[in-house]
């Protein structure tokens, strides 16, 4: 029984590592896209940057939630 718990914990750990990297990548991607939109179209406003970051983190969170729930 103990080895089964260890395997499950390792799977959870790998999924969480993937989630953290996914959040960083998609969040930064959203910031970059928001900066590009802000600089080219919207006269250097800050809200597109925050909106892009929010969308990126939200997509990563949804993916993370689905991956973690698939282990159950």
């Amino acid at each position: 029984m103990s080895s089964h718990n260890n395997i499950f914990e390792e799977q959870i750990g790998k999924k969480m590592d993937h989630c953290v990297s996914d959040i960083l990548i998609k969040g930064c991607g959203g910031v970059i896209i928001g900066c590009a939109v802000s600089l080219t179209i919207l006269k250097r406003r800050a809200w597109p940057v925050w909106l892009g970051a929010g969308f990126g983190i939200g997509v990563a969170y949804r993916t993370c939630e689905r991956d973690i729930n698939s282990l159950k």
Side-chain angles (χ1 to χ4, degrees), residues 2-66:
S2 178
S3 65
H4 178 64
N5 287 338
N6 288 339
I7 292 171
F8 185 71
E9 287 178 7
E10 287 179 20
Q11 289 176 346
I12 291 282
K14 287 179 183 178
K15 294 285 185 179
M16 291 304 291
D17 289 343
H18 184 264
C19 286
V20 169
S21 65
D22 200 31
I23 287 172
L24 290 173
I25 290 169
K26 289 181 180 172
C28 289
V31 166
I32 290 170
I33 291 171
C35 284
V37 169
S38 176
L39 291 174
T40 59
I41 298 172
L42 298 172
K43 300 179 185 176
R44 297 186 184 193
R45 305 270 185 210
W47 65 266
V49 177
W50 292 108
L51 186 67
F55 278 131
I57 292 170
V59 168
Y61 178 80
R62 184 183 61 204
T63 304
C64 223
E65 187 176 27
R66 189 181 64 230

